Amino acid sequence: MKTITMGLLFGLAAVKGLRKKNNKKKKVVEGRRRSIVKANSRSTPTFEEIPEEVWMEILARLPVNSLMRFKCVSKLWWSFITSRYFTNLFSKLSSLTRERRVFMSVVDKEYHGDYMLFSASPSNWDAASFPLLNQDLTLPGMGGHFVNAVRGLMCFRLGREVRIYNLTTRQLVSLPIVKSNMLEGDSHMWNYFGHDPVSDEYKVLSKVWWVSKGWRRVRSETQVLVLGARASWRNARSHFHPPPSHRPYSQGISINGVLYYGAWCNGKRCVVMSFNLASEEFNLIDLPDEAGIVWHACRANLMNYRGKIAVFECSRLITEGMLDLWVVEDAGTSKWSHKVSVLPSHQLMKSLDVSELVIRSTNRSGEVRLSGRIVDSIKMSMNVIYDLEKNRITRGVAMEPLYPRFSGAGSLQTILWDDVESIMYLEA
């Protein structure tokens, strides 16, 4: 079957090339349907009439390596395979028919140039296995702060420069340098990356803020860049609800075209900010007073829970084995619901061989990642994925010792996620 399909594709390419060379055109019928015939009309056609949507479906089911080779057949094939329509079709079919691949980003928080990106085979990540992250996908120029990964694209920042990396094609592009009058002295910068499903656009947010001594006053601004050719930074188009000045706390989580992240507002007031990726409007969501949530890497963070943004608070995890989950039911009125999950924390600590257990969010609904607080570079590290709805471990991954590439123990930061394949061509 594979040989037949490959032959069909090369035949299609040859026929299209001959038809273009001899300037023989055939009228397009039934909307997007095309006829594929030999240039010499006196010969018996090589192929029957094939609707365009049919051979597009055939192409979209081929491996990425084959599609990358077919891009070299002609300019017509290059433009077709890199078109947004075909890219989206491939992503859609990939999410339905291919296993998601697991990735882990490792960076030294003290020396951001020390960076590695690992992956495991997609066929190995299931409930019954504990695959090893042993595929090194690191490229020169990678490093710095991990921003986010969306639909097969990974975003990270080195200094003021934001870079996008296609995890499948391994294409890496650098975006224009962020410029701001606030980027002086004690100012700071944070970035977010998301997909606008309304306009089918990928947007990068750059949040720049300044905080006075004692954290009493905060000034901030937001710039947006739409991924594409000749992209540039511009101010966010927030007309109806200008965002209050705030400084970001957490990585972003996108749900149905809305980006959410934790932030501090008016000094040390903890809130959740939302950013509509289509309208570019901000909204402030107050945390529930009774929850007593304080943003801290080892205590509270955001997650996706049943398609809603939620905050998990784990101050009772070690002492009582309980995880408090606060779910946003109505963002407009800051209405929350409360759920308590009981986790076998002590058994998990023993299984993972760690003295301190830390919970981190994942890119899947209802799931959190559990691991040791400190990544020891001379020991194999273990991570498990825990489903809060099913109340059980669903998957796990292991990573070999990182020494001598990384020598520190307390300064390593790891991000774990799984993603689909993407053939999107990145234009800078």
Side-chain angles (χ1 to χ4, degrees):
M1 180 63 185
K2 182 176 179 181
T3 304
I4 295 174
T5 303
M6 296 290 284
L8 170 63
L9 292 170
F10 281 113
L12 285 170
V15 169
K16 282 185 173 288
L18 287 172
R19 183 172 58 183
K20 182 178 179 182
K21 181 178 180 180
N22 293 281
N23 293 321
K24 290 187 176 294
K25 298 181 179 179
K26 191 174 182 67
K27 184 178 180 181
V28 177
V29 295
E30 296 181 11
R32 297 179 60 86
R33 298 173 67 91
R34 294 179 181 173
S35 296
I36 304 177
V37 298
K38 276 190 174 182
N40 188 348
S41 59
R42 291 173 296 180
S43 304
T44 302
T46 306
F47 303 105
E48 298 283 340
E49 287 189 354
I50 302 178
E52 183 178 282
E53 56 268 23
V54 172
W55 56 267
M56 287 176 72
E57 291 272 347
I58 295 174
L59 278 176
R61 283 175 164 80
L62 291 179
V64 173
N65 290 340
S66 298
L67 293 175
M68 295 302 102
R69 289 197 300 269
F70 294 154
K71 282 170 46 176
C72 303
V73 171
S74 67
K75 290 182 178 180
L76 175 65
W77 278 71
W78 186 91
S79 63
F80 170 73
I81 293 175
T82 59
S83 68
R84 181 58 63 89
Y85 179 83
F86 183 76
T87 298
N88 288 339
L89 176 61
F90 178 88
S91 296
K92 178 182 178 181
L93 294 177
S94 176
S95 64
L96 295 174
T97 60
R98 295 180 174 91
E99 292 290 336
R100 296 170 70 95
R101 192 173 184 179
V102 58
F103 300 91
M104 177 172 280
S105 164
V106 183
V107 63
D108 191 318
K109 292 183 289 185
E110 295 181 3
Y111 308 99
H112 291 121
D114 292 341
Y115 182 92
M116 294 192 76
L117 178 65
F118 295 99
S119 179
S121 173
S123 60
N124 290 338
W125 208 28
D126 54 42
S129 64
F130 219 81
L132 187 65
L133 291 159
N134 56 3
Q135 299 178 20
D136 186 356
L137 302 182
T138 313
L139 288 180
M142 298 182 73
H145 299 273
F146 177 89
V147 175
N148 198 13
V150 177
R151 290 160 55 104
L153 303 181
M154 170 184 160
C155 179
F156 59 95
R157 175 173 58 84
L158 276 169
R160 296 188 186 183
E161 185 178 81
V162 180
R163 299 178 181 180
I164 306 293
Y165 176 50
N166 187 314
L167 294 161
T168 305
T169 66
R170 306 195 70 184
Q171 183 190 4
L172 177 65
V173 298
S174 298
L175 304 182
I177 301 294
V178 177
K179 297 180 180 180
S180 171
N181 293 330
M182 293 182 61
L183 282 173
E184 298 177 359
D186 296 328
S187 61
H188 306 270
M189 189 170 79
W190 199 285
N191 295 96
Y192 296 102
F193 180 48
H195 177 255
D196 169 16
V198 177
S199 302
D200 190 21
E201 294 177 331
Y202 292 85
K203 293 183 177 181
V204 184
L205 274 69
S206 178
K207 193 76 183 178
V208 180
W209 77 92
W210 171 88
V211 182
S212 66
K213 292 183 179 180
W215 305 94
R216 294 182 181 274
R217 290 187 300 117
V218 179
R219 289 193 296 114
S220 63
E221 68 176 30
T222 305
Q223 296 185 44
V224 177
L225 179 144
V226 179
L227 205 59
R230 297 177 295 278
S232 61
W233 295 98
R234 59 169 172 77
N235 292 329
R237 296 168 179 163
S238 180
H239 303 293
F240 301 106
H241 303 286
S245 292
H246 61 278
R247 58 188 181 101
Y249 156 73
S250 69
Q251 290 178 305
I253 294 181
S254 293
I255 303 175
N256 299 326
V258 179
L259 173 72
Y260 299 90
Y261 58 93
W264 283 283
C265 185
N266 298 328
K268 297 184 179 181
R269 175 189 170 200
C270 297
V271 299
V272 173
M273 298 297 302
S274 70
F275 178 79
N276 190 303
L277 289 161
S279 66
E280 300 189 6
E281 294 291 341
F282 283 90
N283 184 40
L284 185 150
I285 306 173
D286 286 309
L287 293 170
D289 294 332
E290 64 272 24
I293 296 172
V294 178
W295 293 134
H296 190 279
C298 297
R299 181 171 176 177
N301 214 327
L302 299 180
M303 68 173 294
N304 181 339
Y305 187 78
R306 296 182 177 178
K308 299 177 180 179
I309 194 65
V311 177
F312 62 83
E313 211 279 341
C314 48
S315 58
R316 298 194 294 166
L317 179 63
I318 302 301
T319 57
E320 303 176 54
M322 294 184 179
L323 181 72
D324 289 285
L325 188 65
W326 298 86
V327 185
V328 174
E329 301 296 343
D330 188 335
T333 60
S334 296
K335 180 181 178 181
W336 298 74
S337 62
H338 182 217
K339 172 183 173 64
V340 177
S341 294
V342 179
L343 279 70
S345 55
H346 292 287
Q347 292 92 321
L348 288 168
M349 290 170 61
K350 185 178 180 179
S351 300
L352 295 173
D353 190 23
V354 296
S355 58
E356 231 178 315
L357 195 64
V358 172
I359 297 183
R360 299 178 176 89
S361 58
T362 69
N363 61 332
R364 287 202 185 191
S365 176
E367 294 184 342
V368 293
R369 166 192 164 206
L370 297 104
S371 63
R373 186 177 68 84
I374 296 177
V375 179
D376 194 334
S377 61
I378 63 173
K379 293 174 57 179
M380 176 177 288
S381 59
M382 316 286 280
N383 297 262
V384 297
I385 304 300
Y386 196 91
D387 192 315
L388 296 179
E389 297 183 43
K390 299 177 181 178
N391 202 35
R392 62 181 177 86
I393 295 174
T394 56
R395 299 180 306 285
V397 292
M399 186 169 60
E400 291 181 329
L402 298 171
Y403 185 84
R405 182 65 176 82
F406 295 95
S407 57
S411 62
L412 298 183
Q413 181 184 51
T414 61
I415 307 292
L416 180 73
W417 77 99
D418 63 322
D419 215 335
V420 297
E421 290 184 319
S422 171
I423 59 168
M424 180 176 174
Y425 178 75
L426 301 174
E427 297 179 285

